[in-house]
Amino acid sequence: PHFLYNTLDSIMWMAESGDQENVVKMIAALAKFFRLSLSGGNETISVKDEIQHAENYLVIQKMRYDEQFDYEISVDPVVSDWKTLKILLQPIVENAIIHGVGNLPYKGEIKISAGICKDKLVFEVSDNGFGMKPDVLENILAEKPSDKSGIGVHNVHQRIQLMYGPEYGLQFESQPDEGTTVRITLPPITA
């Protein structure tokens, strides 16, 4: 709800200032974002659709954050039609923006990739932001997240493990003042 409210607020401000081009761009991204979120009630979608969902979110947030960051997306074509749980990337990208690059004194960078590693589907989301202190990193996937920001990653991790088993899920690498990389590992589901 906060994301929707903030996005609609941004659209309203752009409309009031006469920025029609960006109003259209943000509304189009928001429509695509919600269309893919619903995805006919299916729990799984293609990798390319999950990537598109994350990119729609990034388009909106990049406009809201006044070009504070750039992003880059790379997908191994082999995995484009593979299946993944939906809405895995968006909470991770949201954390990369809010806790990583959103308030940097320089331009942030977010990179998203999807490919194969050791016969598994692997997504990576990395940023050049603030990073995490070792104690935060150690408890990031704790059974009971201590604050609202930990709930999203915890839920993504739990959904993956409930669906596919304990060998799948999230892994974090982070260095203070250097950035964070989140690796999402899933089974290779080709149809």
Side-chain angles (χ1 to χ4, degrees), residues 10-25:
S10 295
I11 292 169
M12 185 177 69
W13 294 331
M14 287 186 288
E16 287 175 349
S17 69
D19 189 356
Q20 184 178 352
E21 183 180 332
N22 281 326
V23 166
V24 171
K25 185 177 178 182

Side-chain angles (χ1 to χ4, degrees), residues 39-109:
S39 63
N42 296 324
E43 186 64 25
T44 60
I45 59 176
S46 68
V47 168
K48 69 182 167 211
D49 284 346
E50 179 64 10
I51 291 289
Q52 182 63 57
H53 187 257
E55 185 165 20
N56 290 325
Y57 180 77
L58 282 162
V59 165
I60 293 165
Q61 294 296 59
K62 185 171 177 176
M63 292 171 73
R64 286 193 58 237
Y65 277 81
D66 198 28
E67 305 287 325
Q68 169 63 28
F69 64 88
D70 286 324
Y71 65 87
E72 178 183 312
I73 297 174
S74 63
V75 179
D76 181 338
V78 172
V79 303
S80 287
D81 292 322
W82 288 15
K83 296 296 180 189
T84 178
L85 285 174
K86 68 180 179 181
I87 313 177
L88 296 181
L89 292 173
Q90 184 272 325
I92 307 305
V93 172
E94 180 178 3
N95 277 356
I97 295 169
I98 293 171
H99 301 291
V101 301
N103 294 308
L104 288 174
Y106 49 88
K107 195 159 201 158
E109 295 175 11

